[in-house]
Amino acid sequence: MIIVNVNTVRSINWFWPFLLLITGFTIGFVLFFSAALYHYEGPDPILAIFKWRIPGIPFVEKLYHSLRVYRYARGSILLSLVLALVVQGFSLLLFYFITSKVTGTVPPFGKIAVIFPIGVTTTAIPITPAGLGVGHVAFDQLFHMVGLDHGANAFNLHALSQLFLNLTGVIPYLSLKKIPLPSLASGES
């Protein structure tokens, strides 16, 4: 979306460092997953990197070995990535619809497509539960930066819609809770 909306990105001066950071993480993500999911002939050359004494390497090594388990299930990983992108796309469309209703105008889709991922990412900052407050301030400021109003209200309605959508998971939970799980006695095999 950022590439398609270059004019919006160019008008926001502070966005370039974030763009470089996002691009670096994306390239690193793709390279790391490609290395983990590749089937090497002979010994795995990436394992030599994990012998370096750098802070954080043990965590990355655990992640790498966990991903190596899925190297023969690439179709499942691709399917899960596609489903994640579809869900994120629908979430963006929902936010665009909410924004158009809250502001009373139809804002340019490009502006919403650029600020929505940034605003949602800021809610992951663990200052308050569920990013409430942080998300309100972030979306309010992001909306002002692109010339829109009511960013906190749009975020509030989006958070409520996500809450109600996620509450539907209580139905299968409660229905499955009534079904007793089979117990394994120590003498059975």
Side-chain angles (χ1 to χ4, degrees), residues 33 36-42 65-78:
F33 267 75
L37 297 175
Y38 184 75
H39 179 66
Y40 296 102
E41 298 291 331
H65 286 298
S66 298
L67 285 172
R68 292 292 291 163
V69 172
Y70 294 101
R71 69 181 170 265
Y72 298 115
R74 293 184 192 125
S76 298
I77 291 175
L78 182 64

Side-chain angles (χ1 to χ4, degrees), residues 32 35-36 40 43-51 64:
F32 184 76
Y40 296 102
D44 187 348
I46 303 297
L47 295 177
I49 295 172
F50 299 131
K51 293 181 179 158
Y64 182 79

Side-chain angles (χ1 to χ4, degrees), residues 14-96:
W14 59 267
F15 190 71
W16 288 104
F18 286 112
L19 182 61
L20 290 174
L21 188 66
I22 291 168
T23 303
F25 276 122
T26 302
I27 291 170
F29 175 81
V30 168
L31 289 175
F32 184 76
F33 267 75
S34 298
L37 297 175
Y38 184 75
H39 179 66
Y40 296 102
E41 298 291 331
D44 187 348
I46 303 297
L47 295 177
I49 295 172
F50 299 131
K51 293 181 179 158
W52 298 349
R53 294 189 176 263
I54 299 174
I57 286 287
F59 172 75
V60 175
E61 182 179 13
K62 281 171 110 175
L63 183 62
Y64 182 79
H65 286 298
S66 298
L67 285 172
R68 292 292 291 163
V69 172
Y70 294 101
R71 69 181 170 265
Y72 298 115
R74 293 184 192 125
S76 298
I77 291 175
L78 182 64
L79 178 64
S80 63
L81 286 174
V82 168
L83 287 174
L85 287 174
V86 168
V87 168
Q88 292 297 323
F90 280 126
S91 183
L92 173 61
L93 290 175
L94 173 66
F95 189 76
Y96 181 73

